[in-house]
């Protein structure tokens, strides 16, 4: 029995000695790793092995100002600077820096709803317990509290520039710092626990691979990432991204800073139940799908496998007999992507591209598939490419598993060696059109530069063009993050594109990536969409209103007389051929007085009224008695939709019509008015109607609504090359024009006029007279070759922007009920826009051959400019 007691006593002594030794090591050791202080539940850690050099590189990089707008980076830099300054002051040593000769960890933790903070763990050769004692004992007027936690002292120091105190402790040779007190407490408890991140095999493996020369290292733990999602995404998208937790285990990324980019290299560890385990085969294919993807692709997810059916087998999926139509042609590469969306419904812009072993077999098999599932083939052809559609129940999700991008009821076509699927036929046509015009990612000069920093093959390749994903981000991000982005003036858009690639090798994935930074914008980047017309646009496009949705749509005519109605997203709703070119503005009228709108205009021979389906209204078109010489004028005298229509013809007569098309008494016709080249004008002054016409011989006529002349013709005896401007006030009006000799003409309501020699341009190309500033005062705009001169109403010059090309056309561009000046150089095929100070607007000139229109079509704060070019395209540009 004594033997048992002796053995028990010895065991107890051994336990006590072991416990004492462990406590001594844990409590007293000054050689602990910074990782041992990090909570084992941490999901995001930044490591700086040479923090002084790294911070210097960050601050000197071209992207620093934009990166400083990001909340996490701004907080990181501010807190480190503040603490560094605190130590320097307290130690009375202006040369001291926590960053010199140290290693630094910064772990990010969620501290509340939409709130986060950092725990900093610093290990420095220049900092010891003695140095820390000097720091805590130095006298200072600042608030300097202290408290005990787990036998360790935590100091609470209130900085003059901070809203809350910073917690500082020195434990086991590690300096622990945070502006959130419980994070320092967690670190102390972690050091006392006897376990650490270094006991996690996954973390240990990737941390050992971290680059010694990296400017920064990022560690991401995917299985704990769910807690971060609500801070990044709104509720809907946070749920959508929940599967990220199963993507992999630990990922380590080395960041190398260049002046305008980040180069990323690292490793990702995974387990058998992780998403990456699907791709555990060496890559065998070069990335070729960018030959087909449009340059305006906003994002894509590229996948490569040894064999698609082996990939399916690794997922535990069996290809059912009903999907045999896919078996005989599918290759080993596929890619989900999204064209730059113009609103939050980005799924409408989604596509899927699959490499085909044999494209001919692919198109035959898909046609058979469509027939088998009962789909109405209705094969359409676009640019000689047949387009088909699979059945509405034929979702591709049974073949391709993707959480973010969904393709259902797919349209399809075959181009090159690839099969393209999309939710909308317009997306198929965009891809085909871009492919035919060589406007693909592979041919994009910016992408060519970008991809040089990536590998030529990958098991998984994620590409994100931030500047083209504004609508997706607006739809997906949390309210707090959107608020932060707005404060930063969307500087994050400059970090674009960004990419991450995963290549499998010996049970780990090499991970590489690249983030480019650029503040430059140009036409090539700004194109939102382009619509192919049958011929070049023959007129400025016109905004009309869809009376069902209240959204803007676009009318435009090409030189073959085709009129198109196009959605704001660039989809042609219909095309209709007219008998000639449109001469007038396009009026929106409510013909049937039921709030449904129609379009009214004239060609040389006809007056048209058509509905939004492109069909004629009532007895229109109305054939004119002689070819028209000017554009139609439509009046609504009493605002009761009892419209009157007026047009001048080659026979020297002006004709008036009821909206029914019947001749108007007093205007059937109005004879001997001469050749009227410009549209008539209407003014209502002191209860009296004035219908105004000016012929090419310099005669001006005033009529009342009955066609009676209010005064004798006003004879100016000059053939004007520009239209008269009408200045209308409550109780008067006047007309204004100028000749090429520098004379200014004013025509008054009483039938008199004045002609005065002025210091204005001679032999100008075009003239505009309007209230451009909205202050009731009118401005003059003269297009004078390479200079445009703007004068106020007293003919004082207020601006004279100059151009590299001859400007031959000036016109009004109305945006948000404000008038600004648009300019066209037909010779150079460029358009310009002047802001309210009459300076050239940022982002211009743009390539176009017609005047343009502009509006914030998608209510994103970004204007869209729409114009025609000489290559049969109607182009929509996005401008800031």
């Amino acid at each position: 029995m004594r033997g048992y007691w002796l053995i028990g006593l010895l065991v107890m002594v051994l336990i006590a000695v072991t416990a004492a030794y462990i406590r001594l090591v844990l409590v007293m050791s000054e050689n602990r790793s910074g990782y041992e202080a990090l909570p084992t539940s941490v999901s995001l850690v930044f490591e700086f092995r040479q923090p002084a050099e790294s911070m210097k590189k960050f601050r000197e990089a071209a992207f620093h100002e934009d990166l400083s707008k990001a909340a996490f980076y701004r907080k990181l830099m501010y807190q480190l600077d503040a603490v560094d300054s605190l130590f320097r002051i307290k130690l009375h040593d202006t040369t001291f820096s926590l960053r010199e000769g140290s290693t630094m960890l910064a772990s990010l933790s969620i501290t509340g709803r939409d709130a986060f903070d950092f725990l900093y763990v610093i290990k420095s050769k220049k900092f010891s317990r003695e140095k820390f004692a000097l720091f805590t004992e130095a006298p200072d007027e600042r608030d300097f509290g202290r408290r005990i936690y787990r036998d360790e002292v935590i100091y609470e120091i209130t900085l003059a520039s901070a809203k809350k105190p910073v917690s500082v402790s020195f434990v086991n040779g590690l300096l622990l710092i945070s502006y959130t007190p419980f994070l320092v407490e967690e670190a102390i408890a972690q050091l006392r626990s006897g376990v650490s991140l270094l006991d996690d095999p996954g973390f240990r493996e990737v941390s050992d691979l971290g680059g010694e020369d990296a400017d920064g290292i990022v560690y991401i733990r995917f299985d704990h990432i769910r807690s971060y999602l609500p801070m990044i995404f709104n509720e809907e998208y946070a749920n959508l991204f929940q599967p990220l937790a199963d993507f992999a285990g630990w990922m380590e990324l080395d960041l190398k800073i260049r002046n305008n980019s980040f180069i990323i290299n690292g490793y990702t560890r995974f387990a058998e139940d992780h998403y990456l385990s699907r791709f555990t085969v060496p890559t065998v294919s070069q990335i070729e799908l960018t030959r087909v993807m449009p340059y305006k692709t906003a994002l894509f997810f590229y996948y490569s496998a040894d064999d698609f059916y082996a990939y399916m087998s690794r997922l535990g999926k069996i290809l059912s007999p009903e999907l045999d139509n896919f078996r005989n042609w599918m290759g080993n590469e596929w890619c989900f992507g999204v064209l730059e969306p113009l609103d939050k419904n980005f799924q409408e812009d989604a596509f899927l591209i699959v490499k085909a072993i044999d494209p001919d077999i692919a198109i035959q098999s898909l046609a058979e598939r469509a027939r088998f599932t009962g789909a109405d083939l209705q094969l359409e052809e676009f640019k000689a490419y047949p387009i088909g559609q699979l059945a509405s129940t034929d979702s591709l999700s049974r073949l391709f598993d993707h959480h973010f991008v969904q393709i259902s009821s797919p349209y399809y076509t075959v181009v090159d060696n690839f099969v393209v699927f999309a939710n909308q036929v317009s997306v198929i046509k965009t891809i085909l059109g871009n492919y035919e015009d060589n406007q693909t990612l592979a041919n994009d000069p910016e992408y060519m530069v970008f991809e040089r920093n990536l590998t030529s093959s990958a098991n998984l390749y994620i590409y994100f063009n931030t500047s083209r994903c504004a609508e997706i981000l607006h739809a997906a991000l949390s309210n707090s993050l959107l608020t932060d982005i707005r404060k930063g003036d969307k500087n994050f858009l400059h970090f674009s594109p960004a990419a991450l690639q995963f290549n499998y090798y010996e049970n780990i994935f090499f991970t590489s990536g690249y983030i480019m930074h650029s503040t430059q914008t140009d036409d090539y980047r700004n194109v939102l969409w382009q619509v192919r017309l049958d011929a070049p646009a023959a007129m400025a496009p016109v905004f009309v209103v869809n009376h069902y949705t209240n959204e803007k749509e676009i009318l435009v005519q090409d030189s073959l007389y085709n009129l198109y109605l196009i959605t704001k997203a660039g989809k042609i709703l219909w095309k209709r051929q007219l008998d000639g070119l449109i001469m007038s503005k396009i009026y929106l009228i409510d013909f049937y007085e039921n709030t449904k709108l129609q379009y009214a205009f004239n060609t040389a021979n006809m007056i048209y009224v058509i509905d939004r389906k492109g069909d004629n209204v009532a007895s229109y078109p109305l054939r004119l008695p002689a070819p028209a010489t000017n554009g139609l004028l439509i009046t609504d005298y009493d605002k009761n939709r009892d419209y009157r229509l007026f047009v001048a013809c080659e026979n020297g007569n002006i004709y008036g019509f009821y909206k029914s098309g019947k001749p108007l008494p007093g205007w059937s016709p109005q004879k001997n008015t001469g050749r009227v080249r410009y549209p008539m004008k209407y003014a209502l002054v002191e209860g009296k109607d004035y219908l105004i016409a000016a012929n090419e011989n310099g005669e001006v006529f005033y009529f009342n609504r009955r066609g009676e002349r209010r005064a004798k013709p006003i004879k100016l005896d000059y053939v004007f090359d520009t239209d008269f401007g009408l200045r209308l006030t409550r109780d008067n009006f006047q007309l204004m024009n100028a000749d090429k000799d520098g004379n200014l003409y004013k025509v008054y309501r009483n039938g008199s006029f004045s002609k005065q020699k002025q210091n204005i341009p001679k032999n100008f190309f075009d003239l505009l007279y309007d209230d451009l500033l909205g202050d009731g005062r009118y401005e003059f705009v003269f297009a004078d070759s390479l200079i445009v001169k703007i004068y106020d109403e007293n003919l004082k010059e207020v601006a004279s922007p100059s151009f590299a090309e001859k400007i031959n056309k000036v016109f009004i561009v109305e945006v948000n009920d404000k008038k600004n000046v648009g300019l066209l150089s037909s010779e150079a095929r460029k358009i310009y826009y002047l802001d309210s100070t009459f300076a050239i607007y940022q982002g211009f000139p743009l390539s176009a051959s017609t005047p343009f229109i502009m509006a914030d079509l998608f209510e994103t704060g970004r204007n869209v400019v729409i114009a025609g070019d000489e290559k049969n395209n109607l182009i929509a540009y996005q401008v800031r």
Side-chain angles (χ1 to χ4, degrees):
M1 182 64 71
R2 286 183 59 192
Y4 288 116
W5 279 103
L6 183 60
I7 292 172
L9 182 62
L10 286 173
V11 169
M12 291 176 65
V13 170
L14 284 172
I15 291 173
V17 170
T18 302
Y21 174 77
I22 291 174
R23 178 168 177 78
L24 183 67
V25 170
L26 290 177
V27 175
M28 303 302 295
S29 174
E30 298 288 308
N31 194 32
R32 304 287 293 276
S33 166
Y35 294 121
E36 295 180 69
L38 298 182
T40 55
S41 60
V42 72
S43 291
L44 184 61
V45 180
F46 300 93
E47 179 183 3
F48 302 99
R49 295 182 177 178
Q50 297 174 328
E53 293 181 20
S54 296
M55 299 304 165
K56 185 173 184 290
K57 285 186 178 181
F58 271 105
R59 285 196 163 93
E60 292 178 350
F63 55 73
H64 181 260
E65 183 178 351
D66 286 333
L67 187 60
S68 296
K69 302 297 192 303
F72 83 94
Y73 181 79
R74 185 170 63 246
K75 177 177 282 192
L76 180 74
M77 287 299 189
Y78 168 78
Q79 291 183 350
L80 287 176
D81 286 344
V83 171
D84 206 45
S85 175
L86 171 67
F87 274 81
R88 191 177 298 119
I89 294 170
K90 293 285 290 180
L91 294 172
H92 302 285
D93 184 354
T94 58
T95 64
F96 179 80
S97 174
L98 285 175
R99 301 167 193 171
E100 293 289 347
S102 65
T103 58
M104 180 186 299
L105 300 176
S107 66
L108 189 149
S109 298
I110 305 300
T111 57
R113 181 177 176 84
D114 298 330
F116 67 93
D117 209 348
F118 291 100
L119 166 70
Y120 302 99
V121 181
I122 301 172
K123 189 179 182 70
S124 174
K125 297 175 182 177
K126 297 183 178 181
F127 204 79
S128 62
R129 186 169 290 277
E130 291 75 18
K131 194 90 169 179
F132 187 70
L134 290 174
F135 165 75
T136 58
E137 293 170 3
D140 198 286
E141 69 279 5
R142 292 179 176 83
D143 293 334
F144 205 102
R146 65 193 300 272
R147 57 192 174 87
I148 305 297
Y149 181 79
R150 296 284 186 97
D151 299 328
E152 299 292 347
V153 180
I154 301 175
Y155 294 91
E156 304 287 347
I157 307 166
T158 301
L159 303 173
S161 60
K163 295 181 180 179
K164 58 182 181 178
V166 59
S167 298
V168 182
S169 189
F170 189 81
V171 183
N172 297 126
L174 303 174
L175 191 59
L176 311 177
I177 304 171
S178 181
Y179 281 78
T180 299
F182 77 79
L183 294 181
V184 173
E185 294 174 1
E186 280 188 354
I188 294 172
Q190 192 66 54
L191 285 166
R192 297 290 172 266
S193 69
V195 296
S196 75
L197 277 179
L198 296 177
D199 298 320
D200 183 325
F203 178 80
R204 189 65 179 254
E205 182 176 0
V206 296
S207 65
D208 287 344
L209 296 172
E212 291 296 328
D213 61 343
D215 296 317
I217 301 174
V218 181
Y219 298 98
I220 299 173
R221 184 178 187 173
F222 285 95
D223 58 353
H224 286 176
I225 210 166
R226 288 189 177 95
S227 59
Y228 292 79
L229 295 179
M231 190 174 70
I232 302 172
F233 302 106
N234 59 38
E235 184 176 354
E236 176 187 353
Y237 282 82
N239 293 331
L240 184 65
F241 282 100
Q242 288 292 328
L244 270 177
D246 300 318
F247 179 78
W250 277 98
M251 181 164 70
E252 179 271 334
L253 301 175
D254 297 339
L255 303 181
K256 292 291 290 183
I257 300 171
R258 297 291 181 263
N259 186 52
N260 63 348
S261 63
F262 290 97
I263 296 174
I264 301 170
N265 286 290
Y267 301 88
T268 304
R269 200 173 187 275
F270 68 98
E272 289 184 2
D273 58 343
H274 286 145
Y275 182 84
L276 276 183
S277 65
R278 305 176 178 193
F279 303 97
T280 52
V281 292
T283 54
V284 295
S285 302
Q286 300 291 305
I287 299 170
E288 297 182 340
L289 274 68
T290 55
R291 296 192 344 235
V292 178
M293 278 187 277
Y295 71 93
K296 61 177 285 185
T297 298
L299 59 87
F300 66 73
F301 303 86
Y302 167 91
Y303 307 88
S304 172
D306 52 339
D307 175 86
F308 186 79
Y309 303 103
Y311 165 81
M312 295 278 286
S313 178
R314 285 194 291 275
L315 296 183
K317 291 186 177 182
I318 299 174
L319 197 65
S320 61
E322 66 178 278
L323 295 177
D324 270 347
N325 299 95
F326 295 94
R327 184 187 300 274
N328 56 356
W329 61 266
M330 288 183 60
N332 63 341
E333 294 177 83
W334 65 100
C335 175
F336 286 91
V338 177
L339 300 182
E340 180 175 14
L342 301 179
D343 53 34
K344 296 180 181 180
N345 300 318
F346 68 87
Q347 297 289 358
E348 294 182 358
D349 301 288
F351 61 83
L352 166 65
I353 301 176
V354 184
K355 187 173 183 179
I357 298 171
D358 189 318
D360 292 330
I361 293 176
I363 202 145
Q364 293 173 17
S365 297
L366 289 170
E368 290 176 6
R369 174 75 185 164
R371 282 191 290 269
F372 174 77
T373 55
D376 183 3
L377 283 180
Q378 293 184 346
L379 284 177
E380 182 179 347
E381 192 169 279
F382 181 76
K383 292 183 176 291
Y385 293 92
I387 300 174
Q389 185 178 19
L390 300 183
S392 59
T393 57
D394 207 6
S395 173
L396 296 180
S397 60
R398 284 181 287 174
L399 277 174
F400 304 96
D401 188 15
H402 201 279
H403 291 284
F404 188 69
V405 180
Q406 302 294 327
I407 306 291
S408 57
S409 306
Y411 293 90
Y412 68 87
T413 192
V414 175
V415 53
D416 200 342
N417 291 319
F418 305 97
V419 179
V420 181
F421 298 95
N423 290 321
Q424 301 288 332
V425 71
S426 60
V427 174
I428 294 280
K429 290 181 178 180
T430 296
I431 292 173
L432 292 174
N434 279 253
Y435 178 78
E436 286 292 297
D437 293 337
N438 291 319
Q439 292 182 332
T440 62
L441 274 181
N443 291 316
D444 180 359
E446 185 174 310
Y447 183 80
M448 291 179 187
V449 173
F450 180 78
E451 71 172 347
R452 290 176 197 152
N453 297 280
L454 300 169
T455 61
S456 59
S457 62
N459 296 95
L460 176 60
Y461 173 15
I462 303 169
Y463 170 88
F464 191 82
N465 191 316
T466 320
S467 62
R468 294 194 177 278
C469 289
E471 298 309 318
I472 296 176
L473 293 172
H474 185 74
L477 296 181
S478 65
N479 290 333
S480 60
L481 199 52
L482 283 174
T483 300
D484 190 65
I485 286 171
R486 292 189 188 102
K487 289 179 181 177
D489 196 26
K490 300 183 180 178
N491 297 67
F492 73 100
L493 294 176
H494 295 157
F495 292 93
S496 181
L500 205 59
Q501 295 179 318
F502 299 85
N503 281 276
Y504 177 76
Y505 181 73
E506 293 187 355
N507 294 320
I508 202 166
F509 279 89
F510 287 112
T511 307
S512 58
Y514 188 63
I515 302 174
M516 183 182 288
H517 175 267
S518 174
T519 59
Q520 300 299 314
T521 58
D522 54 33
D523 292 6
Y524 195 66
R525 287 291 95 204
N526 287 351
V527 175
L528 285 181
W529 50 256
Q530 61 182 35
V531 175
R532 192 77 168 177
L533 309 178
D534 291 351
M539 60 176 282
V542 177
F543 283 131
V544 293
V545 177
N546 181 329
H547 49 250
Y548 295 110
T549 64
N550 240 7
E551 292 185 334
K552 284 184 170 66
E553 295 173 334
I554 301 107
L555 279 175
V556 69
Q557 187 184 32
D558 67 22
S559 59
L560 295 178
Y561 312 153
N562 295 306
L563 182 66
Y564 304 79
L565 181 64
I566 300 169
T567 69
K568 67 179 184 179
K571 178 181 179 181
I572 295 177
L573 296 176
W574 51 256
K575 176 182 72 173
R576 171 180 171 173
Q577 190 168 50
L578 306 178
D579 74 299
L581 294 177
I582 295 174
M583 299 179 65
S584 68
K585 66 178 284 187
I586 296 177
Y587 292 87
L588 279 180
I589 64 172
D590 184 358
F591 189 89
Y592 293 110
E593 302 175 23
N594 61 359
T595 73
K596 294 183 179 180
L597 300 176
Q598 296 79 35
Y599 320 127
F601 52 87
N602 74 289
T603 63
N605 297 308
M606 299 280 193
I607 296 177
Y608 287 85
V609 179
I610 61 177
D611 62 23
R612 73 171 307 274
K613 294 181 180 179
D615 297 327
N616 293 325
V617 171
S619 58
Y620 287 90
L622 176 66
R623 179 169 292 278
L624 295 170
T629 58
N630 73 347
L632 187 68
L633 169 69
I634 297 182
T635 64
D636 184 7
Y637 295 126
D638 302 313
K639 309 301 180 187
N640 59 0
R641 292 168 284 189
D642 188 15
Y643 305 105
R644 301 291 188 262
L645 292 68
F646 302 91
V647 65
C649 293
E650 287 280 7
N651 57 12
N653 296 335
I654 297 175
Y655 293 86
F657 305 92
Y658 290 104
K659 74 174 181 181
S660 64
K662 293 181 179 180
L664 191 63
W667 295 91
S668 54
Q670 184 67 241
K671 296 181 179 181
N672 303 318
T673 54
R675 194 171 190 274
V676 179
R677 292 169 52 196
Y678 298 106
M680 294 174 61
K681 295 174 172 54
Y682 171 70
L684 177 63
V685 177
E686 295 183 334
K688 294 181 179 180
D689 299 298
Y690 289 81
L691 290 147
I692 305 165
N695 68 26
E696 65 179 10
N697 296 320
E699 292 182 302
V700 180
F701 301 86
Y702 296 161
F703 304 96
N704 64 20
R705 66 171 68 180
R706 295 184 298 274
E708 298 167 347
R709 300 192 181 191
R710 290 197 175 275
K712 292 181 180 180
I714 306 163
K715 297 185 178 182
L716 305 178
D717 296 325
Y718 184 83
V719 178
F720 293 95
D721 291 330
T722 54
D723 193 7
F724 281 87
L726 172 66
R727 180 172 186 170
L728 182 63
T729 62
R730 181 178 298 178
D731 57 1
N732 211 342
F733 71 82
Q734 69 180 24
L735 300 170
M736 193 79 71
N737 214 333
D739 65 24
K740 299 300 179 72
D741 296 321
N743 294 306
L744 190 68
Y745 294 78
K746 294 181 180 179
V747 182
Y748 304 102
R749 174 189 169 196
N750 62 10
S752 64
F753 75 95
S754 65
K755 172 184 175 183
Q756 297 176 334
K757 192 78 170 180
Q758 299 288 349
N759 186 26
I760 58 176
K762 299 178 181 179
N763 299 312
F764 54 85
F765 291 89
D766 202 5
L767 167 63
L768 186 68
Y769 177 65
D770 211 322
D771 178 9
L772 300 175
L773 301 179
D775 57 3
R777 300 179 180 182
Y778 276 51
E779 285 75 35
F780 298 86
V781 183
F782 291 90
D784 187 18
S785 189
L786 302 180
I787 297 176
V788 170
K789 290 186 174 291
I790 297 101
Y791 299 84
D792 65 16
E793 63 180 6
N794 297 317
L795 293 177
K796 178 183 177 182
E797 185 176 313
V798 295
S800 56
S802 59
F803 303 86
E805 305 88 10
K806 181 173 69 178
I807 302 298
N808 63 291
K809 180 70 176 173
V810 296
F811 49 93
I812 293 292
V813 180
E814 292 196 38
V815 184
N816 298 327
D817 298 323
K818 294 182 179 179
K819 294 180 180 179
N820 288 81
V821 179
L823 309 157
L824 170 66
S825 172
S826 299
E827 193 175 88
R829 299 185 182 122
K830 289 184 178 180
I831 51 175
Y832 292 83
Y833 181 61
L834 303 185
D835 62 21
S836 58
T837 67
F838 304 114
I840 298 174
Y841 199 81
Q842 180 184 358
F844 285 83
L846 298 170
S847 298
S849 56
T850 71
F852 63 90
I853 52 177
M854 183 161 69
D856 183 3
L857 285 182
F858 305 98
E859 299 179 0
T860 61
R862 299 176 300 166
N863 284 322
V864 177
V865 172
I866 303 175
D869 71 6
E870 76 282 4
K871 298 179 180 178
N872 300 10
N873 295 314
L874 186 71
I875 303 178
Y877 294 107
Q878 171 185 286
V879 295
R880 294 187 181 278

